[in-house]
Amino acid sequence: MSARDAILARLGPARAAADLAAEAAALLTGEERERPAGPEDLVARFLTQLGQPSVAATHARIGSLAELPGAVAAYLAAEGAEPALWLPPDARVAGLDWAGLTRLADCPIDDGTVLAFARAGVAETGSLVFETAPEAPMLPNFLALRHIVLLEVAGLVRWLEDAVPGGAAPRAHYWVTGVSGTTDIEGTYVRGAHGPRFLHVVLVG
């Protein structure tokens, strides 16, 4: 038996073209897409994707924004990092108690930590969706060593298509799926080659 015959034998009887066409049609209409039961299912799926080697992100979960400074301090301490970070000019974090953490006036480059808000998270891939605004500049998200991303549980969606923005388009819209990496340097995988080396997602809610 040839290798080809062995492979075909493992596949079983040939399937009728009509059956394949019906299956494809079902996929296109979404009939075979199992929808998650609820928010906690989305959270579990999303966190599973964050833990994949291709994403390489850590995570924490808090009940409210008031707990954010404590969660950030705990993360930086566990990483042995300086207790300092750059915050976006967002009213949601400006009024929090950041005692014990230094708020940097300028965004660090190739070092330090920045915080940002993601509009959505995709359970299918572990992707984070960002949109720029006066209170959400884009550049800091690509400059620092550590990127802490705040995401509300209500912003989780199951599929990539569900995260596509509707209505008026933002000035810039971009997706991040884990830390960047390259194997261009002597064939060795280097993490953080084109952006932060460490990604930490804080789920709120």
Side-chain angles (χ1 to χ4, degrees), residues 84-120:
L85 77 162
W86 181 88
L87 296 174
D90 192 308
R92 289 174 289 181
V93 296
L96 299 179
D97 182 8
W98 295 99
L101 290 168
T102 300
R103 296 177 56 175
L104 302 175
D106 298 310
C107 174
I109 299 176
D110 296 330
D111 199 0
T113 304
V114 301
L115 183 139
F117 283 85
R119 178 183 64 80

PDB file of all heavy atoms in Angstrom, residues 84-120:
ATOM      1  N   ALA A  84       6.376  51.815  38.803  1.00  0.00           N
ATOM      2  CA  ALA A  84       6.098  53.056  38.092  1.00  0.00           C
ATOM      3  C   ALA A  84       5.447  52.709  36.759  1.00  0.00           C
ATOM      4  O   ALA A  84       5.711  51.653  36.181  1.00  0.00           O
ATOM      5  CB  ALA A  84       7.388  53.849  37.862  1.00  0.00           C
ATOM      6  N   LEU A  85       4.588  53.609  36.274  1.00  0.00           N
ATOM      7  CA  LEU A  85       3.947  53.359  34.988  1.00  0.00           C
ATOM      8  C   LEU A  85       3.410  54.658  34.398  1.00  0.00           C
ATOM      9  O   LEU A  85       3.233  55.653  35.108  1.00  0.00           O
ATOM     10  CB  LEU A  85       2.811  52.348  35.113  1.00  0.00           C
ATOM     11  CG  LEU A  85       1.467  52.813  35.703  1.00  0.00           C
ATOM     12  CD1 LEU A  85       0.370  51.819  35.338  1.00  0.00           C
ATOM     13  CD2 LEU A  85       1.562  52.971  37.213  1.00  0.00           C
ATOM     14  N   TRP A  86       3.202  54.601  33.084  1.00  0.00           N
ATOM     15  CA  TRP A  86       2.587  55.720  32.372  1.00  0.00           C
ATOM     16  C   TRP A  86       1.108  55.408  32.208  1.00  0.00           C
ATOM     17  O   TRP A  86       0.726  54.307  31.808  1.00  0.00           O
ATOM     18  CB  TRP A  86       3.235  55.897  31.005  1.00  0.00           C
ATOM     19  CG  TRP A  86       2.669  57.046  30.216  1.00  0.00           C
ATOM     20  CD1 TRP A  86       3.079  58.349  30.254  1.00  0.00           C
ATOM     21  CD2 TRP A  86       1.584  56.978  29.279  1.00  0.00           C
ATOM     22  NE1 TRP A  86       2.309  59.109  29.399  1.00  0.00           N
ATOM     23  CE2 TRP A  86       1.387  58.290  28.790  1.00  0.00           C
ATOM     24  CE3 TRP A  86       0.765  55.954  28.820  1.00  0.00           C
ATOM     25  CZ2 TRP A  86       0.409  58.590  27.852  1.00  0.00           C
ATOM     26  CZ3 TRP A  86      -0.229  56.249  27.891  1.00  0.00           C
ATOM     27  CH2 TRP A  86      -0.393  57.561  27.416  1.00  0.00           C
ATOM     28  N   LEU A  87       0.267  56.396  32.534  1.00  0.00           N
ATOM     29  CA  LEU A  87      -1.174  56.233  32.422  1.00  0.00           C
ATOM     30  C   LEU A  87      -1.714  57.079  31.272  1.00  0.00           C
ATOM     31  O   LEU A  87      -1.248  58.201  31.043  1.00  0.00           O
ATOM     32  CB  LEU A  87      -1.870  56.659  33.715  1.00  0.00           C
ATOM     33  CG  LEU A  87      -1.563  55.849  34.979  1.00  0.00           C
ATOM     34  CD1 LEU A  87      -2.215  56.511  36.188  1.00  0.00           C
ATOM     35  CD2 LEU A  87      -2.046  54.421  34.825  1.00  0.00           C
ATOM     36  N   PRO A  88      -2.696  56.589  30.557  1.00  0.00           N
ATOM     37  CA  PRO A  88      -3.314  57.401  29.505  1.00  0.00           C
ATOM     38  C   PRO A  88      -4.111  58.539  30.127  1.00  0.00           C
ATOM     39  O   PRO A  88      -4.537  58.449  31.286  1.00  0.00           O
ATOM     40  CB  PRO A  88      -4.227  56.400  28.788  1.00  0.00           C
ATOM     41  CG  PRO A  88      -4.574  55.403  29.843  1.00  0.00           C
ATOM     42  CD  PRO A  88      -3.339  55.265  30.691  1.00  0.00           C
ATOM     43  N   PRO A  89      -4.339  59.615  29.393  1.00  0.00           N
ATOM     44  CA  PRO A  89      -5.123  60.746  29.928  1.00  0.00           C
ATOM     45  C   PRO A  89      -6.609  60.426  29.930  1.00  0.00           C
ATOM     46  O   PRO A  89      -7.417  61.085  29.280  1.00  0.00           O
ATOM     47  CB  PRO A  89      -4.778  61.879  28.954  1.00  0.00           C
ATOM     48  CG  PRO A  89      -4.484  61.180  27.664  1.00  0.00           C
ATOM     49  CD  PRO A  89      -3.820  59.886  28.042  1.00  0.00           C
ATOM     50  N   ASP A  90      -6.962  59.408  30.699  1.00  0.00           N
ATOM     51  CA  ASP A  90      -8.328  58.901  30.729  1.00  0.00           C
ATOM     52  C   ASP A  90      -8.905  59.142  32.124  1.00  0.00           C
ATOM     53  O   ASP A  90      -8.301  58.769  33.129  1.00  0.00           O
ATOM     54  CB  ASP A  90      -8.328  57.398  30.405  1.00  0.00           C
ATOM     55  CG  ASP A  90      -9.723  56.857  30.142  1.00  0.00           C
ATOM     56  OD1 ASP A  90     -10.616  57.077  30.975  1.00  0.00           O
ATOM     57  OD2 ASP A  90      -9.906  56.196  29.105  1.00  0.00           O
ATOM     58  N   ALA A  91     -10.087  59.751  32.174  1.00  0.00           N
ATOM     59  CA  ALA A  91     -10.705  60.091  33.458  1.00  0.00           C
ATOM     60  C   ALA A  91     -10.978  58.859  34.310  1.00  0.00           C
ATOM     61  O   ALA A  91     -11.059  58.953  35.537  1.00  0.00           O
ATOM     62  CB  ALA A  91     -12.008  60.848  33.217  1.00  0.00           C
ATOM     63  N   ARG A  92     -11.096  57.705  33.687  1.00  0.00           N
ATOM     64  CA  ARG A  92     -11.404  56.488  34.443  1.00  0.00           C
ATOM     65  C   ARG A  92     -10.262  56.066  35.362  1.00  0.00           C
ATOM     66  O   ARG A  92     -10.478  55.382  36.359  1.00  0.00           O
ATOM     67  CB  ARG A  92     -11.738  55.346  33.478  1.00  0.00           C
ATOM     68  CG  ARG A  92     -13.072  55.503  32.777  1.00  0.00           C
ATOM     69  CD  ARG A  92     -13.286  54.430  31.735  1.00  0.00           C
ATOM     70  NE  ARG A  92     -12.412  54.612  30.572  1.00  0.00           N
ATOM     71  CZ  ARG A  92     -12.423  53.812  29.501  1.00  0.00           C
ATOM     72  NH1 ARG A  92     -13.239  52.764  29.466  1.00  0.00           N
ATOM     73  NH2 ARG A  92     -11.635  54.057  28.478  1.00  0.00           N
ATOM     74  N   VAL A  93      -9.040  56.467  35.041  1.00  0.00           N
ATOM     75  CA  VAL A  93      -7.910  56.094  35.892  1.00  0.00           C
ATOM     76  C   VAL A  93      -7.325  57.285  36.638  1.00  0.00           C
ATOM     77  O   VAL A  93      -6.605  57.119  37.625  1.00  0.00           O
ATOM     78  CB  VAL A  93      -6.791  55.401  35.079  1.00  0.00           C
ATOM     79  CG1 VAL A  93      -7.288  54.093  34.502  1.00  0.00           C
ATOM     80  CG2 VAL A  93      -6.257  56.321  33.979  1.00  0.00           C
ATOM     81  N   ALA A  94      -7.643  58.489  36.181  1.00  0.00           N
ATOM     82  CA  ALA A  94      -7.051  59.687  36.794  1.00  0.00           C
ATOM     83  C   ALA A  94      -7.422  59.817  38.259  1.00  0.00           C
ATOM     84  O   ALA A  94      -6.617  60.281  39.084  1.00  0.00           O
ATOM     85  CB  ALA A  94      -7.482  60.933  36.017  1.00  0.00           C
ATOM     86  N   GLY A  95      -8.634  59.420  38.616  1.00  0.00           N
ATOM     87  CA  GLY A  95      -9.089  59.619  39.982  1.00  0.00           C
ATOM     88  C   GLY A  95      -8.832  58.448  40.917  1.00  0.00           C
ATOM     89  O   GLY A  95      -9.246  58.493  42.082  1.00  0.00           O
ATOM     90  N   LEU A  96      -8.146  57.423  40.445  1.00  0.00           N
ATOM     91  CA  LEU A  96      -7.874  56.265  41.297  1.00  0.00           C
ATOM     92  C   LEU A  96      -6.715  56.548  42.250  1.00  0.00           C
ATOM     93  O   LEU A  96      -5.907  57.454  42.020  1.00  0.00           O
ATOM     94  CB  LEU A  96      -7.550  55.045  40.430  1.00  0.00           C
ATOM     95  CG  LEU A  96      -8.654  54.579  39.482  1.00  0.00           C
ATOM     96  CD1 LEU A  96      -8.186  53.384  38.663  1.00  0.00           C
ATOM     97  CD2 LEU A  96      -9.919  54.230  40.249  1.00  0.00           C
ATOM     98  N   ASP A  97      -6.615  55.764  43.295  1.00  0.00           N
ATOM     99  CA  ASP A  97      -5.563  55.939  44.299  1.00  0.00           C
ATOM    100  C   ASP A  97      -4.300  55.196  43.853  1.00  0.00           C
ATOM    101  O   ASP A  97      -4.192  53.989  44.025  1.00  0.00           O
ATOM    102  CB  ASP A  97      -6.052  55.404  45.643  1.00  0.00           C
ATOM    103  CG  ASP A  97      -5.019  55.600  46.748  1.00  0.00           C
ATOM    104  OD1 ASP A  97      -4.001  56.271  46.493  1.00  0.00           O
ATOM    105  OD2 ASP A  97      -5.228  55.068  47.852  1.00  0.00           O
ATOM    106  N   TRP A  98      -3.351  55.927  43.307  1.00  0.00           N
ATOM    107  CA  TRP A  98      -2.117  55.341  42.807  1.00  0.00           C
ATOM    108  C   TRP A  98      -0.974  55.480  43.812  1.00  0.00           C
ATOM    109  O   TRP A  98       0.197  55.407  43.444  1.00  0.00           O
ATOM    110  CB  TRP A  98      -1.728  55.982  41.470  1.00  0.00           C
ATOM    111  CG  TRP A  98      -2.717  55.683  40.391  1.00  0.00           C
ATOM    112  CD1 TRP A  98      -3.725  56.481  39.953  1.00  0.00           C
ATOM    113  CD2 TRP A  98      -2.805  54.472  39.638  1.00  0.00           C
ATOM    114  NE1 TRP A  98      -4.444  55.863  38.968  1.00  0.00           N
ATOM    115  CE2 TRP A  98      -3.899  54.620  38.742  1.00  0.00           C
ATOM    116  CE3 TRP A  98      -2.068  53.280  39.623  1.00  0.00           C
ATOM    117  CZ2 TRP A  98      -4.279  53.624  37.846  1.00  0.00           C
ATOM    118  CZ3 TRP A  98      -2.447  52.287  38.733  1.00  0.00           C
ATOM    119  CH2 TRP A  98      -3.527  52.458  37.865  1.00  0.00           C
ATOM    120  N   ALA A  99      -1.285  55.687  45.079  1.00  0.00           N
ATOM    121  CA  ALA A  99      -0.246  55.789  46.107  1.00  0.00           C
ATOM    122  C   ALA A  99       0.597  54.519  46.111  1.00  0.00           C
ATOM    123  O   ALA A  99       0.088  53.407  46.038  1.00  0.00           O
ATOM    124  CB  ALA A  99      -0.895  55.992  47.476  1.00  0.00           C
ATOM    125  N   GLY A 100       1.902  54.718  46.180  1.00  0.00           N
ATOM    126  CA  GLY A 100       2.818  53.580  46.142  1.00  0.00           C
ATOM    127  C   GLY A 100       3.339  53.284  44.756  1.00  0.00           C
ATOM    128  O   GLY A 100       4.271  52.483  44.592  1.00  0.00           O
ATOM    129  N   LEU A 101       2.744  53.908  43.748  1.00  0.00           N
ATOM    130  CA  LEU A 101       3.202  53.757  42.366  1.00  0.00           C
ATOM    131  C   LEU A 101       3.540  55.129  41.797  1.00  0.00           C
ATOM    132  O   LEU A 101       2.810  56.089  42.008  1.00  0.00           O
ATOM    133  CB  LEU A 101       2.124  53.095  41.500  1.00  0.00           C
ATOM    134  CG  LEU A 101       1.834  51.618  41.775  1.00  0.00           C
ATOM    135  CD1 LEU A 101       0.562  51.196  41.054  1.00  0.00           C
ATOM    136  CD2 LEU A 101       3.004  50.753  41.320  1.00  0.00           C
ATOM    137  N   THR A 102       4.620  55.214  41.080  1.00  0.00           N
ATOM    138  CA  THR A 102       5.014  56.472  40.450  1.00  0.00           C
ATOM    139  C   THR A 102       4.338  56.603  39.100  1.00  0.00           C
ATOM    140  O   THR A 102       4.413  55.694  38.266  1.00  0.00           O
ATOM    141  CB  THR A 102       6.544  56.524  40.260  1.00  0.00           C
ATOM    142  OG1 THR A 102       7.179  56.409  41.530  1.00  0.00           O
ATOM    143  CG2 THR A 102       6.958  57.828  39.592  1.00  0.00           C
ATOM    144  N   ARG A 103       3.679  57.720  38.886  1.00  0.00           N
ATOM    145  CA  ARG A 103       3.046  57.988  37.592  1.00  0.00           C
ATOM    146  C   ARG A 103       4.023  58.767  36.725  1.00  0.00           C
ATOM    147  O   ARG A 103       4.397  59.890  37.031  1.00  0.00           O
ATOM    148  CB  ARG A 103       1.754  58.774  37.793  1.00  0.00           C
ATOM    149  CG  ARG A 103       0.693  58.003  38.573  1.00  0.00           C
ATOM    150  CD  ARG A 103      -0.551  58.827  38.832  1.00  0.00           C
ATOM    151  NE  ARG A 103      -1.129  59.344  37.596  1.00  0.00           N
ATOM    152  CZ  ARG A 103      -2.277  60.018  37.537  1.00  0.00           C
ATOM    153  NH1 ARG A 103      -2.950  60.270  38.659  1.00  0.00           N
ATOM    154  NH2 ARG A 103      -2.745  60.456  36.393  1.00  0.00           N
ATOM    155  N   LEU A 104       4.460  58.140  35.653  1.00  0.00           N
ATOM    156  CA  LEU A 104       5.458  58.741  34.775  1.00  0.00           C
ATOM    157  C   LEU A 104       4.828  59.838  33.918  1.00  0.00           C
ATOM    158  O   LEU A 104       3.735  59.665  33.366  1.00  0.00           O
ATOM    159  CB  LEU A 104       6.079  57.676  33.878  1.00  0.00           C
ATOM    160  CG  LEU A 104       6.751  56.500  34.600  1.00  0.00           C
ATOM    161  CD1 LEU A 104       7.209  55.446  33.590  1.00  0.00           C
ATOM    162  CD2 LEU A 104       7.937  56.997  35.422  1.00  0.00           C
ATOM    163  N   ALA A 105       5.545  60.943  33.791  1.00  0.00           N
ATOM    164  CA  ALA A 105       5.048  62.054  32.985  1.00  0.00           C
ATOM    165  C   ALA A 105       5.152  61.758  31.493  1.00  0.00           C
ATOM    166  O   ALA A 105       4.336  62.223  30.696  1.00  0.00           O
ATOM    167  CB  ALA A 105       5.822  63.327  33.327  1.00  0.00           C
ATOM    168  N   ASP A 106       6.169  60.993  31.119  1.00  0.00           N
ATOM    169  CA  ASP A 106       6.379  60.662  29.712  1.00  0.00           C
ATOM    170  C   ASP A 106       6.370  59.147  29.525  1.00  0.00           C
ATOM    171  O   ASP A 106       6.765  58.395  30.421  1.00  0.00           O
ATOM    172  CB  ASP A 106       7.723  61.218  29.218  1.00  0.00           C
ATOM    173  CG  ASP A 106       7.789  62.728  29.307  1.00  0.00           C
ATOM    174  OD1 ASP A 106       6.849  63.385  28.825  1.00  0.00           O
ATOM    175  OD2 ASP A 106       8.774  63.247  29.868  1.00  0.00           O
ATOM    176  N   CYS A 107       5.941  58.743  28.362  1.00  0.00           N
ATOM    177  CA  CYS A 107       5.903  57.316  28.062  1.00  0.00           C
ATOM    178  C   CYS A 107       7.321  56.766  27.965  1.00  0.00           C
ATOM    179  O   CYS A 107       8.159  57.317  27.251  1.00  0.00           O
ATOM    180  CB  CYS A 107       5.168  57.080  26.745  1.00  0.00           C
ATOM    181  SG  CYS A 107       5.213  55.369  26.204  1.00  0.00           S
ATOM    182  N   PRO A 108       7.634  55.679  28.680  1.00  0.00           N
ATOM    183  CA  PRO A 108       8.974  55.087  28.587  1.00  0.00           C
ATOM    184  C   PRO A 108       9.181  54.412  27.232  1.00  0.00           C
ATOM    185  O   PRO A 108       8.223  53.943  26.607  1.00  0.00           O
ATOM    186  CB  PRO A 108       8.987  54.062  29.723  1.00  0.00           C
ATOM    187  CG  PRO A 108       7.560  53.704  29.920  1.00  0.00           C
ATOM    188  CD  PRO A 108       6.772  54.952  29.617  1.00  0.00           C
ATOM    189  N   ILE A 109      10.429  54.363  26.818  1.00  0.00           N
ATOM    190  CA  ILE A 109      10.773  53.740  25.536  1.00  0.00           C
ATOM    191  C   ILE A 109      11.738  52.595  25.791  1.00  0.00           C
ATOM    192  O   ILE A 109      12.781  52.774  26.421  1.00  0.00           O
ATOM    193  CB  ILE A 109      11.400  54.770  24.576  1.00  0.00           C
ATOM    194  CG1 ILE A 109      10.401  55.896  24.297  1.00  0.00           C
ATOM    195  CG2 ILE A 109      11.820  54.104  23.262  1.00  0.00           C
ATOM    196  CD1 ILE A 109      10.955  57.002  23.432  1.00  0.00           C
ATOM    197  N   ASP A 110      11.366  51.400  25.323  1.00  0.00           N
ATOM    198  CA  ASP A 110      12.171  50.185  25.465  1.00  0.00           C
ATOM    199  C   ASP A 110      12.350  49.763  26.916  1.00  0.00           C
ATOM    200  O   ASP A 110      13.217  48.943  27.229  1.00  0.00           O
ATOM    201  CB  ASP A 110      13.551  50.350  24.809  1.00  0.00           C
ATOM    202  CG  ASP A 110      13.438  50.560  23.309  1.00  0.00           C
ATOM    203  OD1 ASP A 110      12.472  50.046  22.718  1.00  0.00           O
ATOM    204  OD2 ASP A 110      14.317  51.227  22.742  1.00  0.00           O
ATOM    205  N   ASP A 111      11.589  50.325  27.813  1.00  0.00           N
ATOM    206  CA  ASP A 111      11.667  49.981  29.232  1.00  0.00           C
ATOM    207  C   ASP A 111      10.371  50.435  29.891  1.00  0.00           C
ATOM    208  O   ASP A 111       9.532  51.080  29.264  1.00  0.00           O
ATOM    209  CB  ASP A 111      12.881  50.659  29.870  1.00  0.00           C
ATOM    210  CG  ASP A 111      13.285  50.006  31.194  1.00  0.00           C
ATOM    211  OD1 ASP A 111      12.605  49.041  31.586  1.00  0.00           O
ATOM    212  OD2 ASP A 111      14.239  50.476  31.838  1.00  0.00           O
ATOM    213  N   GLY A 112      10.212  50.127  31.156  1.00  0.00           N
ATOM    214  CA  GLY A 112       9.076  50.646  31.897  1.00  0.00           C
ATOM    215  C   GLY A 112       7.749  49.993  31.511  1.00  0.00           C
ATOM    216  O   GLY A 112       7.689  49.011  30.776  1.00  0.00           O
ATOM    217  N   THR A 113       6.672  50.598  32.015  1.00  0.00           N
ATOM    218  CA  THR A 113       5.339  50.024  31.886  1.00  0.00           C
ATOM    219  C   THR A 113       4.336  51.091  31.463  1.00  0.00           C
ATOM    220  O   THR A 113       4.400  52.227  31.935  1.00  0.00           O
ATOM    221  CB  THR A 113       4.887  49.427  33.240  1.00  0.00           C
ATOM    222  OG1 THR A 113       5.856  48.466  33.674  1.00  0.00           O
ATOM    223  CG2 THR A 113       3.528  48.760  33.119  1.00  0.00           C
ATOM    224  N   VAL A 114       3.418  50.717  30.592  1.00  0.00           N
ATOM    225  CA  VAL A 114       2.313  51.601  30.213  1.00  0.00           C
ATOM    226  C   VAL A 114       1.003  50.850  30.422  1.00  0.00           C
ATOM    227  O   VAL A 114       0.955  49.619  30.403  1.00  0.00           O
ATOM    228  CB  VAL A 114       2.404  52.075  28.743  1.00  0.00           C
ATOM    229  CG1 VAL A 114       3.705  52.812  28.493  1.00  0.00           C
ATOM    230  CG2 VAL A 114       2.247  50.910  27.789  1.00  0.00           C
ATOM    231  N   LEU A 115      -0.054  51.619  30.629  1.00  0.00           N
ATOM    232  CA  LEU A 115      -1.384  51.046  30.796  1.00  0.00           C
ATOM    233  C   LEU A 115      -2.285  51.574  29.701  1.00  0.00           C
ATOM    234  O   LEU A 115      -2.169  52.733  29.289  1.00  0.00           O
ATOM    235  CB  LEU A 115      -1.946  51.393  32.174  1.00  0.00           C
ATOM    236  CG  LEU A 115      -3.314  50.788  32.511  1.00  0.00           C
ATOM    237  CD1 LEU A 115      -3.341  50.301  33.949  1.00  0.00           C
ATOM    238  CD2 LEU A 115      -4.445  51.805  32.288  1.00  0.00           C
ATOM    239  N   ALA A 116      -3.190  50.729  29.231  1.00  0.00           N
ATOM    240  CA  ALA A 116      -4.121  51.139  28.181  1.00  0.00           C
ATOM    241  C   ALA A 116      -5.438  50.401  28.350  1.00  0.00           C
ATOM    242  O   ALA A 116      -5.504  49.354  29.002  1.00  0.00           O
ATOM    243  CB  ALA A 116      -3.533  50.848  26.802  1.00  0.00           C
ATOM    244  N   PHE A 117      -6.490  50.964  27.759  1.00  0.00           N
ATOM    245  CA  PHE A 117      -7.795  50.331  27.734  1.00  0.00           C
ATOM    246  C   PHE A 117      -8.002  49.669  26.374  1.00  0.00           C
ATOM    247  O   PHE A 117      -7.715  50.261  25.337  1.00  0.00           O
ATOM    248  CB  PHE A 117      -8.908  51.366  27.936  1.00  0.00           C
ATOM    249  CG  PHE A 117      -9.085  51.814  29.354  1.00  0.00           C
ATOM    250  CD1 PHE A 117      -8.310  52.843  29.875  1.00  0.00           C
ATOM    251  CD2 PHE A 117     -10.025  51.210  30.175  1.00  0.00           C
ATOM    252  CE1 PHE A 117      -8.476  53.273  31.178  1.00  0.00           C
ATOM    253  CE2 PHE A 117     -10.206  51.631  31.486  1.00  0.00           C
ATOM    254  CZ  PHE A 117      -9.428  52.657  31.991  1.00  0.00           C
ATOM    255  N   ALA A 118      -8.517  48.441  26.374  1.00  0.00           N
ATOM    256  CA  ALA A 118      -8.931  47.785  25.137  1.00  0.00           C
ATOM    257  C   ALA A 118     -10.440  47.887  25.019  1.00  0.00           C
ATOM    258  O   ALA A 118     -11.161  47.770  26.015  1.00  0.00           O
ATOM    259  CB  ALA A 118      -8.502  46.321  25.129  1.00  0.00           C
ATOM    260  N   ARG A 119     -10.922  48.125  23.819  1.00  0.00           N
ATOM    261  CA  ARG A 119     -12.372  48.208  23.619  1.00  0.00           C
ATOM    262  C   ARG A 119     -13.024  46.829  23.669  1.00  0.00           C
ATOM    263  O   ARG A 119     -14.144  46.667  24.154  1.00  0.00           O
ATOM    264  CB  ARG A 119     -12.697  48.858  22.269  1.00  0.00           C
ATOM    265  CG  ARG A 119     -14.200  48.934  21.991  1.00  0.00           C
ATOM    266  CD  ARG A 119     -14.510  49.520  20.629  1.00  0.00           C
ATOM    267  NE  ARG A 119     -14.032  48.708  19.531  1.00  0.00           N
ATOM    268  CZ  ARG A 119     -14.658  47.624  19.069  1.00  0.00           C
ATOM    269  NH1 ARG A 119     -15.774  47.200  19.632  1.00  0.00           N
ATOM    270  NH2 ARG A 119     -14.168  46.956  18.045  1.00  0.00           N
ATOM    271  N   ALA A 120     -12.309  45.824  23.161  1.00  0.00           N
ATOM    272  CA  ALA A 120     -12.886  44.482  23.106  1.00  0.00           C
ATOM    273  C   ALA A 120     -11.787  43.444  23.221  1.00  0.00           C
ATOM    274  O   ALA A 120     -10.608  43.721  22.998  1.00  0.00           O
ATOM    275  CB  ALA A 120     -13.670  44.289  21.804  1.00  0.00           C
TER     276      ALA A 120
END
